[in-house]
Structure formats: C-alpha cells, structure tokens
Amino acid sequence: QARGHFSSRVRRRGVAMCADLPAGGRMSSPAEKVSEAVKVAAGLPDVPEYRRADEDADAFEALRTALVAAKKDNSALSGLETQSMVRSMELIARRASQKKMLKGRAKECLGIVLASDAWLRAAQTCTNLMAALEVLAADSPPLLERL
C-alpha cells in the first residue's frame, strides 16, 4: 500500500517508475532520468508548504537515483537550464541540513554534479547556494576544493 502511494505521488510529478516503462520495456537513459528528476526539483518552490517535506523526500530520492545512474555518463548532466540545476543543488543541500542521516547521500550527489563544469558554474551564480554547499562539503576536502 505504501509503495503504491509513493509511486502515485512520484508519477503525478512526472518521474517514471518501473511500472511506467514503455511497452517495449526500454529503460530510460541516464540523461532522461536526470532531466526528469531535475524538472521535479525545479518545481518544488511551487509546492504548498504543507506538502513540502514529502515532496522534498521523493524528489531527492529520484534525483539521487538519476545522478548515480549518470555517474558514468557525464554528458547526462549537460544541456539543463541553470535555474533547474540551482534548484536541484538547493534540494541536495536542504535535505542534508534537514535530515542529518542523509548527509552522506547528499555529499555523494554533490560530488557527482560538481564533476560537471556547467553545474559548478550554475552553483556559483547563487551566493546563498554556495554557502549552503560549503557547509555540506566542510568535512570533504575534495568537494571544498572543487567549490
């Protein structure tokens, strides 16, 4: 029951679940997964406050899954709007600060996106985001160096 509830929430926001695969069974490419997850993260500011915690949790898991899939294919992180990349990194930083047990996963996501120069440039457009990312990366010299 809980899984059905989760997948219907995620499906409503446009992220495809396994049950939503095309009839041919073709899996989404890493670029498609990242694009969909970033779209969801970009739409989070429009979510009413009373639903924000659940939506953040679902969006973070979808984004993390997409980023891990894209780790081996750096081109999957390109071609996205700057504002969408900023919103995605804000989600990563927010989840790490709200849920301490997710800090490791958030740092993993940050390491993946910061491997892309486009994502780094997007982060540098927002001073509040940079400050939040520096707090997240405080105990990770490689991440701090990249920032």
Side-chain angles (χ1 to χ4, degrees):
Q1 182 73 20
R3 177 150 170 72
H5 177 69
F6 171 79
S7 62
S8 67
R9 276 198 321 229
V10 173
R11 211 174 299 134
R12 192 172 51 237
R13 288 196 321 260
V15 176
M17 299 299 288
C18 291
D20 298 331
L21 288 174
R26 184 183 75 77
M27 297 290 289
S28 298
S29 72
E32 291 169 332
K33 289 178 183 177
V34 170
S35 178
E36 287 298 315
V38 166
K39 283 180 193 173
V40 171
L44 288 173
D46 299 331
V47 172
E49 194 62 37
Y50 70 91
R51 286 188 13 220
R52 180 67 59 87
D54 287 340
E55 299 291 326
D56 271 4
D58 293 346
F60 177 75
E61 283 308 313
L63 181 62
R64 180 178 173 271
T65 299
L67 291 175
V68 168
K71 188 189 277 191
K72 296 175 187 159
D73 180 11
N74 231 7
S75 67
L77 299 175
S78 62
L80 301 165
E81 295 180 17
T82 299
Q83 188 63 27
S84 296
M85 291 186 279
V86 167
R87 295 273 189 242
S88 297
M89 288 183 281
E90 288 172 343
L91 172 63
I92 291 168
R94 187 168 56 247
R95 288 305 289 168
S97 68
Q98 291 171 344
K99 300 281 185 181
K100 299 298 181 197
M101 66 184 211
L102 296 178
K103 187 174 181 180
R105 291 180 179 187
K107 287 194 315 192
E108 174 188 31
C109 292
L110 186 59
I112 294 168
V113 298
L114 290 182
S116 164
D117 291 336
W119 282 74
L120 179 59
R121 283 191 304 274
Q124 292 169 340
T125 65
C126 181
T127 55
N128 290 341
L129 174 59
M130 285 298 290
L133 295 180
E134 287 170 0
V135 168
L136 174 57
D139 58 352
S140 178
L143 286 178
L144 273 178
E145 184 178 316
R146 183 74 177 146
L147 287 171

